[in-house]
Amino acid sequence: MLSTSWKVVLAAALILTQSLAIAQGGMPIVNMVDDGTGNTQYSLTLQLLALMTALTLLPSLLLMMTSFVRIIIVMSLLRQALGTAQTPPNQVLLGLALFLTIFIMMPVFTAVYEDAVVPYVDEDIGFEEALTAAQGPFRIFMLNQTRESDIAMFVEIAGNEDIIEPADVPFSTLVPAFITSELKSAFSIGFLIYIPFVVIDLVVASVLMSMGMMMLSPMMISMPFKLMLFVLVDGWTLIMGSLTASFAVL
């Protein structure tokens, strides 16, 4: 069975898609209604309501059910390891994480669109069938990234003893387990990124101490060496490629 929150989310998305198709046929978004006293009142149609609902839910969907969490955490830890303060700025990191998320999740989005949205808009399948078809690609993606121990923990907390196979895990249990696993993976990757930069900091600090320059900040001296190391090993390509390869998509 689909959880209530999942039904609401997909209902808004499917209604929005259908609304755009109807709008192309000339259906107005704002209706003028005569209240019987000679005054005109304006009412918003269901299409605009669905659009506003979908836009409100988009940030939550991006954070909960995609690769965005792992990417943005790794990028933030990389910036801290380099010691560059606010460089790259938050807007650049968010934009980079967003487009990398779109690239990684494109097979999932394509499968949902072709298997659920298009048949529903063409009225080939019903609403419940569209919801069932749409949940499949996201479920496969999240199950591939989620540790069994995390799923078992949330299943135990929920007291659900009817789960026999991964397909039986409800979305209300799978989503928090997926987020927990993503946090673990992101911090594990961040730890590996930190190691070479910590070594550089230790070497620079030791050299400064041996030279008696205790008043000079080791971070100021080590940052150019860390930047040089990161550029020489083509760090951005390595980070992007490793992050992309760490996800098992459809």
Side-chain angles (χ1 to χ4, degrees), residues 31 54 86 104 121 139 169 171-172 185 199 215 217 227 237:
N31 293 327
Q86 295 298 317
I104 293 172
V121 172
R139 176 180 291 276
V169 179
F171 261 78
S172 58
S185 300
V199 172
M215 301 300 294
S217 174
L227 292 176
T237 301

Side-chain angles (χ1 to χ4, degrees), residues 127-174:
F127 183 70
E128 288 291 336
E129 295 176 353
L131 290 178
T132 303
Q135 94 169 309
F138 280 101
R139 176 180 291 276
I140 293 175
F141 173 80
M142 288 190 288
L143 284 174
N144 287 337
Q145 311 305 322
T146 307
R147 296 173 174 83
E148 293 183 2
S149 58
D150 295 327
I151 296 179
M153 179 188 69
F154 282 99
V155 168
E156 182 180 356
I157 294 174
N160 193 341
E161 300 178 354
D162 300 330
I163 297 177
I164 302 177
E165 55 184 13
D168 298 331
V169 179
F171 261 78
S172 58
T173 301
L174 180 58

Side-chain angles (χ1 to χ4, degrees), residues 233-246:
V233 300
D234 200 5
W236 286 114
T237 301
L238 291 176
I239 294 296
M240 301 297 179
S242 299
L243 279 175
T244 304
S246 66

Side-chain angles (χ1 to χ4, degrees), residues 20 22 43 64 83 107 121 126 138 143 154 212 229 231:
L20 295 177
I22 295 176
S43 63
M64 291 189 302
V121 172
F138 280 101
L143 284 174
F154 282 99
L229 173 65
V231 172

